[in-house]
Structures are given as C-alpha cells and as structure tokens.
Amino acid sequence: MNLQDSPCNDLLYLCFNQDNACFAGGTNTGFFAYNCEPFTETTRKNFSSGGIGIIEMCYRTNILALVGGGKVPRYPRNKVMMWDDVNNRCIGELSFPSDVRAVKLRRDMVVVVLDRDIYIYNFQDLKLLENRRTIVNTKGLCALCPHTNHRVMAFPGKERGLINVELFDIQRQVCIWHNTWKCIFK
C-alpha cells in the first residue's frame, strides 16, 4: 500500500511478503520488516539521508527491493535498488526514464511498473527478459503470482477496461474485459 500522498504520515509504504509471513514498511527515514509468527522485528534501517517510498521483500530472504520516496528520497524515484540486508548494501540497481510506481518480486523475476510500461527482469542477474506496454497506470497496478509452479502476472492492458493475464509457463496471454468479463485468448 503506497501512502506517500498522505501529508502527515512518516509511513510511506506497507506490504506483506509473498507468503504473508512477514511485512515491511518504508518511512521518511528508512525501512523496517517484521516477522508475523513469532511477532518480532527482523530488521530496521534508519538513514541519515532519506526515505524509502517502496519496499518489496523476496519471501523470507535477506533481499529487498527499495525505491526512494518521501520528503527527501534516499534513492532516486526512478531507480530500483536491490538491497542485501545481511551485508547491509546494495547489490544491484535498475534505472528507468520515469518514476517507479511498483515493484514485485519472485525468486526468478523482478517486475518493475512505470506509468505506461512494465519491465520483467531475471532475478539472478537483473537482465531484461521482457517488457509490456499498458494504459496509464499511475497506481502501479500489477499482480504477480508467488507460487513457484505458476509464473502468472496480471496487469492493465493498453485500453481502458482491459486486464492482461500473462501465463509465462505456457507462453500465453489472456485478455479480460472487466466490464463484461469476456476472455480473449492470444
């Protein structure tokens, strides 16, 4: 949940990880993560120079995706920084021509959502695999299936009311018109 538009909130972003066993948040001064069972704080980073507007966990690993945000962003809003929390450093960086609206992680994919584009990268080496064009998507709408056996992504299509569902494993795309719930297979 992106809370950056809230004028009186130090909390900028809040999300669960892929199996809902942990949650993380970005603030005007850094980020934190908690384990749900048992309920304990697993990490907290306070930076003297800036906030984190988007944070995504990769399951229960030490790898996080960070995007700058808040009053004074720690990183540019158009970059995704891959952070190794054990070694306390960035291990990769992805740059874009416009602000990042959302980041989604799987063990094999990094998905970055911009206003009109979605970029899909290989998790291991951050090489670009594919990209998709969308209608204007300032909310960063995108859903990525976390299940290891199903590589599925849903995102806005190029036209209003169109939802694209990408079935990567069988190299198929399904388009759903949400106002009629009619499916078109490609």
Side-chain angles (χ1 to χ4, degrees), residues 34 76 85 99 118 155-156 160 171:
Y34 280 82
D85 199 50
D99 288 357
I118 296 178
F155 57 96
R160 186 174 182 202
Q171 297 179 345

Side-chain angles (χ1 to χ4, degrees), residues 31 42-43 45 62-64 83-89:
F31 66 88
T42 58
T43 190
K45 295 290 182 270
N62 57 306
I63 305 300
L64 305 166
W83 179 269
D84 180 337
D85 199 50
V86 169
N87 294 311
N88 204 30
R89 67 182 182 93

Side-chain angles (χ1 to χ4, degrees), residues 106-124:
R106 285 176 44 106
R107 287 188 171 93
D108 58 349
M109 297 167 76
V110 176
V111 175
V112 180
V113 183
L114 306 182
D115 283 339
R116 294 192 60 103
D117 294 288
I118 296 178
Y119 293 92
I120 304 149
Y121 293 87
N122 181 21
F123 187 88
Q124 295 301 319

Side-chain angles (χ1 to χ4, degrees), residues 166-179:
E166 190 85 28
L167 308 166
F168 293 103
D169 297 323
I170 59 173
Q171 297 179 345
R172 193 165 192 192
Q173 190 177 73
V174 179
C175 299
I176 302 169
W177 290 96
H178 80 76
N179 53 351

Side-chain angles (χ1 to χ4, degrees), residues 30 61 121 135 164:
T61 71
Y121 293 87
I135 195 167
N164 285 349

Side-chain angles (χ1 to χ4, degrees), residues 38-181:
F39 185 74
T40 54
E41 184 177 84
T42 58
T43 190
R44 177 175 296 275
K45 295 290 182 270
N46 288 311
F47 300 117
S48 58
S49 60
I52 301 298
I54 297 174
I55 180 171
E56 280 294 318
M57 302 177 74
C58 186
Y59 298 86
R60 287 178 176 244
T61 71
N62 57 306
I63 305 300
L64 305 166
L66 305 175
V67 178
K71 298 171 190 159
V72 181
R74 169 73 176 174
Y75 306 110
R77 295 175 203 268
N78 69 326
K79 289 188 177 186
V80 175
M81 309 303 287
M82 300 303 291
W83 179 269
D84 180 337
D85 199 50
V86 169
N87 294 311
N88 204 30
R89 67 182 182 93
C90 286
I91 56 171
E93 177 181 318
L94 298 168
S95 296
F96 301 94
S98 63
D99 288 357
V100 173
R101 299 301 183 183
V103 179
K104 303 294 179 188
L105 299 178
R106 285 176 44 106
R107 287 188 171 93
D108 58 349
M109 297 167 76
V110 176
V111 175
V112 180
V113 183
L114 306 182
D115 283 339
R116 294 192 60 103
D117 294 288
I118 296 178
Y119 293 92
I120 304 149
Y121 293 87
N122 181 21
F123 187 88
Q124 295 301 319
D125 56 14
L126 297 181
K127 288 193 177 168
L128 180 65
L129 299 173
E130 302 180 46
N131 69 306
R132 298 290 181 265
R133 192 86 169 140
T134 69
I135 195 167
V136 174
N137 184 13
T138 56
K139 293 187 184 292
L141 300 176
C142 181
L144 186 63
C145 178
H147 194 279
T148 343
N149 297 334
H150 305 289
R151 294 183 342 133
V152 179
M153 180 175 73
F155 57 96
K158 292 181 188 175
E159 298 175 42
R160 186 174 182 202
L162 184 65
I163 301 166
N164 285 349
V165 181
E166 190 85 28
L167 308 166
F168 293 103
D169 297 323
I170 59 173
Q171 297 179 345
R172 193 165 192 192
Q173 190 177 73
V174 179
C175 299
I176 302 169
W177 290 96
H178 80 76
N179 53 351
T180 62
W181 299 111

